[in-house]
Amino acid sequence: MKKSFKFALTFALTTLATLSLAACSSSNASSSDQNTLDKIKASGKLVVGTSPDFPPSEFYILNDKGEKEIVGSDISLAKAIADKIGVKLDIKATDFNGVLANIQTGSVDMGISGFVGTKEREKIMDFSDGYAQEVSDGYQGILTTKQVAEKYKDLAALKKADLKVGAQSGAIQFELASTITKDANIKQYGTMDAAVLALNSGDIDAVTVSTSSVEPLLASFPDLTILPKDSFNLDPEDKYATNVIGIPKNDNNASFIKLINEVIKENKENGNLEKWKNEATEQAKKAITE
């Protein structure tokens, strides 16, 4: 939902060239090693990459001890996978470009961060089955100020305005931003939080968003609004609607991916995926208002 490989690849090539080369040699070597699942069991931990700025999927809260903790529906699913394997969950938090780079280099066992499976990503990672759909409670849309929203009745009118649009670097929202304004008018932000703050302060005119992830923020930003789906849906064909887990690509993933898919299927059928999402949504709203 929120993520795209196109721009993350640029990041990886320009700032992580050495790591990328190391990843290639590591990936090639892995074909003769033990399978991924056995390695994880031997290590005693499941290392998971995530970008915790995307409620209700993954985000920070202050726990009862006053410490920052990463929670969310994706994190609950990751814990269920770790429990199924019988190991501890070890979360490696970065911005989203970092998550993609860590999957590419094999620095994590898997990445769970609002991923969409695309042909470009398939070149560098394996995918789990889909486990969530944005279309169930949101869409790829536009967050803007109420003042700007009053000026445009539909997407065609908004496109003509060539607004300054923010988007999270490495996300599909960056790609979608290019469909509504000139490339020169698009500003990248490392996190969605930073983009929303820039919009609220007037630095930009709009932000392309996965609407379910920004709805919890609206209570804290009363001057902002999400443009309606019927006139401003940026993904009408639902190309970016289904979340998957990304796994570093190698020849020994079959048993690991099978286990992940079993956990996804089990928690779809028993209602846990929906339960975790609802709980995380309420938790995100509470965390933002506190």
Side-chain angles (χ1 to χ4, degrees):
M1 287 187 282
K2 77 176 175 179
K3 317 296 184 183
S4 172
F5 175 66
K6 179 179 179 182
F7 299 97
L9 179 59
T10 301
F11 170 88
L13 292 175
T14 55
T15 65
L16 294 174
T18 302
L19 287 176
S20 296
L21 290 173
C24 293
S25 59
S26 173
S27 177
N28 291 338
S30 69
S31 61
S32 60
D33 294 338
Q34 66 186 137
N35 72 59
T36 301
L37 186 56
D38 285 344
K39 285 184 179 181
I40 293 169
K41 289 179 179 178
S43 73
K45 61 184 180 180
L46 175 68
V47 183
V48 176
T50 195
S51 174
D53 61 344
F54 197 63
S57 299
E58 45 269 327
F59 57 100
Y60 281 109
I61 63 165
L62 287 177
N63 61 25
D64 294 339
K65 298 179 181 179
E67 301 169 337
K68 288 179 70 176
E69 180 182 354
I70 299 172
V71 297
S73 54
D74 277 356
I75 305 306
S76 295
L77 176 56
K79 286 180 179 177
I81 294 168
D83 289 345
K84 183 79 169 182
I85 299 171
V87 296
K88 294 181 179 179
L89 179 65
D90 183 3
I91 300 175
K92 189 169 185 176
T94 64
D95 64 16
F96 189 71
N97 273 327
V99 178
L100 289 176
N102 284 333
I103 295 174
Q104 186 176 7
T105 61
S107 300
V108 295
D109 298 314
M110 69 182 213
I112 186 166
S113 198
F115 282 120
V116 174
T118 67
K119 290 182 179 179
E120 286 298 321
R121 285 183 180 173
E122 197 171 13
K123 297 175 183 177
I124 64 150
M125 67 178 76
D126 292 325
F127 300 135
S128 73
D129 291 341
Y131 65 89
Q133 284 199 311
E134 176 71 0
V135 292
S136 64
D137 57 359
Y139 56 98
Q140 299 300 331
I142 301 169
L143 179 71
T144 188
T145 64
K146 291 179 179 177
Q147 183 178 9
V148 170
E150 293 175 354
K151 298 179 181 180
Y152 309 106
K153 63 179 181 179
D154 56 30
L155 197 55
L158 184 143
K159 289 179 179 180
K160 292 179 181 178
D162 284 330
L163 300 180
K164 295 179 181 178
V165 178
Q168 186 175 18
S169 178
I172 62 167
Q173 286 77 27
F174 194 110
E175 185 174 337
L176 292 172
S178 67
T179 69
I180 63 172
T181 194
K182 296 176 181 177
D183 288 350
N185 290 338
I186 302 173
K187 187 169 182 179
Q188 298 185 60
Y189 294 90
T191 66
M192 185 56 66
D193 296 345
V196 173
L197 288 171
L199 172 63
N200 193 59
S201 65
D203 293 340
I204 52 179
D205 301 310
V207 181
T208 46
V209 298
S210 175
T211 62
S212 62
S213 72
V214 296
E215 283 178 356
L217 300 174
L218 295 182
S220 299
F221 296 95
D223 293 331
L224 304 185
T225 187
I226 298 170
L227 296 179
K229 182 177 182 179
D230 57 353
S231 300
F232 296 93
N233 186 359
L234 300 181
D235 183 28
E237 297 179 356
D238 296 333
K239 290 173 58 179
Y240 305 116
T242 303
N243 281 10
V244 297
I245 295 171
I247 303 105
K249 184 175 281 292
N250 64 54
D251 297 331
N252 302 306
N253 281 337
S255 58
F256 182 39
I257 295 173
K258 180 181 178 182
L259 181 143
I260 291 172
N261 289 338
E262 288 173 353
V263 173
I264 289 171
K265 183 175 185 293
E266 176 184 343
N267 287 285
K268 269 186 180 180
E269 292 176 348
N270 66 20
N272 275 343
L273 291 183
E274 186 69 18
K275 174 187 173 185
W276 294 334
K277 183 180 71 175
N278 292 337
E279 289 175 346
T281 298
E282 292 305 310
Q283 196 173 21
K285 289 178 180 178
K286 182 179 178 181
I288 290 168
T289 56
E290 287 180 344

